[in-house]
Amino acid sequence: MPELPFKTVPEIVGPGPAVSAPPPPAASRIAVASLVGTTIEYYDFAVYGTASALVLGPAFFPSGNATVSSLAAFLTFAAAFLSRPLGVALFGTIGDRLGRRRALVVSLLLMGVATVGVGLLPTYETAGLLAPVLLVTLRLLQGVSMGGEWGGAVLLAAEHAPPGRRALFASIPQAGPSLGFLLSSAVILPTLNLAGRDAFTDWAWRIPFLLSTVLVVVGLWVRSTVSESPVFTSATGGTTQTQAAGGTPQAQAVGARPKAPASVPRFPLGALLTRYPGRLLLGVGAAMGGSAVYYLTIVYSLSYGPKELGIPQNTMLTAASVGAAAGIAITLPVARLADRIGRRPVMLTGAVGCVVWAIPMYASLSSRDIWVITGAYTIGLMLLALMFSPVAAFLPELFPARLRYTGASAAFILANTLGGGFAPLVATWLNSHWESPLVLGFYSGALCLLSLLCLLALPETRDHDFTS
């Protein structure tokens, strides 16, 4: 079935009243609720990424070769990305058929269980081969959770947004990955400094994982209090539309949910691959370069700098944290600009900047100077924000409401898997052959160039009808 053209005029979606955005205060609360959950999920993911760079290799994959041990730890990091497509299929089906909010609550609960489980695991010294097997299993569960997190969070915010502010509201949960990393650093750095490197390697690395229990409880409470997306309920004939159309009080009183109409595919992922393959592939490519920059900076370089270049661990964590904070600081202004002039001009600017800056950014590691590295990382992650702030609205706008959760999730998650999940693994292999940080710049720069070409092939989506 050929791909349908973009619509720039309203479309009637079955019977029922037109969808109207909630008042700004309510929309703002929902956007913040999405941000809280996304921050917690990415905190869990960032804690594992940092721990894999610092201690998980020797603890779960002991080897006489430091490179082999690091490769094994980063393979478990990549394993979570391999299971993300399963999360897209699972939570995309839940989100497109049963509701965005329900999918988000389940995904956060799954992530919390898996993360706390990692903090309770025995090491290889205690349990032998069972230890890495359990670690990989929990990582796979984390990946399934992440497969449903991003799409649901940005959709809940975007579909509640007032007219003309969709990119702004969608970008609020988009700050979650960097906030999650900063939160993980705020826990890991004091723990590392107070306990000392030996104690941290021995037992204190578990503390950031176990603290996730408190965060997940807070996140579940916040997400359980938000309302369902009005776009979803209109497009699928959900409870909100039924009530507005005069549904029976008896059915509403017992909480009955009408069956999704035939227009909602039983298997949204299959329908997505059949109807919109080109749009999906280009969306994946558009986000791939930014994913590589993000994970090379906040995961791989935290291990590579100290082990290969002798840069102090605190220097790398400080540089990455300052850069992440700078990216967060411009996320909302960049999104507001994307609402005014369009998504593509802003994202294209960021893509060009990332291509040009990739080599200088990672070449800064050769200086081993905290100010040089921090400055280079700050510029790089601010350029990344130009790409990743508008993408939270751009990818959902590529797909119709009935497939939007699955479509946006699939595009972003596949980009994260191909561009980011394997980035530490590929970088470790590259640096085992060419011992220079320049290879990181060439690698990430090439993927950012691919993103630039994909963005040029995609249309502007700012005026796309989002209610259908």
Side-chain angles (χ1 to χ4, degrees):
M1 181 175 177
E3 296 189 16
L4 300 177
F6 283 86
K7 288 180 170 57
T8 57
V9 295
E11 178 183 89
I12 302 300
V13 188
V19 177
S20 59
S28 298
R29 285 196 300 271
I30 289 166
V32 171
S34 296
L35 171 63
V36 169
T38 304
T39 300
I40 293 169
E41 291 244 15
Y42 275 90
Y43 164 84
D44 293 344
F45 220 69
V47 162
Y48 185 91
T50 304
S52 67
L54 299 179
V55 300
L56 294 188
F60 288 89
F61 307 96
S63 170
N65 187 309
T67 299
V68 172
S69 183
S70 293
L71 275 171
F74 285 134
L75 271 172
T76 63
F77 183 80
F81 286 84
L82 291 176
S83 61
R84 284 187 178 194
L86 177 59
V88 171
L90 173 63
F91 290 106
T93 300
I94 296 173
D96 280 329
R97 291 185 61 82
L98 303 179
R100 318 317 194 191
R101 188 182 68 168
R102 182 171 301 190
L104 285 173
V105 169
V106 176
S107 71
L108 182 59
L109 180 61
L110 181 60
M111 174 63 81
V113 170
T115 302
V116 174
V118 172
L120 297 174
L121 282 181
T123 62
Y124 185 91
E125 183 180 1
T126 303
L129 289 175
L130 180 62
V133 169
L134 291 174
L135 179 64
V136 171
T137 301
L138 292 175
R139 283 296 291 164
L140 292 173
L141 290 178
Q142 280 189 322
V144 171
S145 170
M146 290 299 294
E149 167 60 30
W150 185 86
V154 299
L155 282 190
L156 202 62
E159 291 180 343
H160 278 92
R165 304 180 72 185
R166 193 184 307 144
L168 176 64
F169 277 72
S171 72
I172 294 175
Q174 186 70 338
S178 292
L179 282 174
F181 169 71
L182 289 176
L183 184 59
S184 72
S185 296
V187 173
I188 289 174
L189 272 175
T191 304
L192 182 61
N193 291 331
L194 291 174
R197 183 60 187 252
D198 291 340
F200 188 84
T201 302
D202 185 36
W203 60 270
W205 63 268
R206 300 177 184 275
I207 293 174
F209 289 95
L210 298 179
L211 284 177
S212 179
T213 303
V214 177
L215 299 176
V216 169
V217 169
V218 173
L220 288 173
W221 174 76
V222 169
R223 283 194 167 171
S224 66
T225 62
V226 302
S227 60
E228 184 53 83
S229 158
V231 175
F232 167 79
T233 53
S234 177
T236 62
T239 305
T240 299
Q241 189 182 31
T242 301
Q243 292 172 355
T248 63
Q250 294 84 355
Q252 296 170 23
V254 298
R257 184 181 62 257
K259 184 178 179 181
S263 60
V264 179
R266 183 176 293 275
F267 301 108
L269 183 59
L272 176 74
L273 294 173
T274 301
R275 301 176 190 176
Y276 304 97
R279 206 172 296 175
L280 175 61
L281 287 175
L282 289 173
V284 171
M288 191 181 297
S291 297
V293 172
Y294 181 80
Y295 283 102
L296 285 177
T297 303
I298 71 161
V299 176
Y300 177 74
S301 68
L302 299 186
S303 171
Y304 172 73
K307 290 182 179 179
E308 302 298 331
L309 301 176
I311 302 172
Q313 191 73 63
N314 284 356
T315 295
M316 296 307 305
L317 282 169
T318 299
S321 297
V322 171
I328 293 172
I330 69 168
T331 291
L332 296 186
V334 166
R336 195 70 187 107
L337 181 63
D339 275 328
R340 291 175 180 170
I341 68 174
R343 297 25 168 155
R344 288 176 75 248
V346 179
M347 295 175 68
L348 286 169
T349 301
V352 171
C354 285
V355 171
V356 172
W357 190 247
I359 293 177
M361 179 179 178
Y362 296 109
S364 70
L365 296 174
S366 297
S367 73
R368 298 174 175 81
D369 183 272
I370 186 172
W371 298 106
V372 174
I373 298 171
T374 300
Y377 273 27
T378 298
I379 294 173
L381 292 178
M382 290 177 73
L383 290 171
L384 175 63
L386 294 178
M387 294 179 66
F388 262 28
S389 178
V391 82
F394 183 69
L395 292 180
E397 288 166 349
L398 292 174
F399 306 100
R402 296 182 300 275
L403 298 174
R404 188 169 291 145
Y405 198 122
T406 302
S409 296
F412 190 78
I413 293 305
L414 287 175
N416 260 231
T417 300
L418 298 175
F422 290 100
L425 188 62
V426 172
T428 301
W429 180 84
L430 287 173
N431 274 296
S432 69
H433 290 77
W434 298 278
E435 297 179 359
S436 169
L438 291 178
V439 298
L440 306 182
F442 285 115
Y443 174 56
S444 61
L447 290 181
C448 288
L449 179 60
L450 174 63
S451 291
L452 174 63
L453 296 175
C454 290
L455 285 169
L456 290 171
L458 285 165
E460 177 57 60
T461 61
R462 181 184 58 169
D463 297 323
H464 173 53
D465 176 26
F466 206 56
T467 64
S468 61

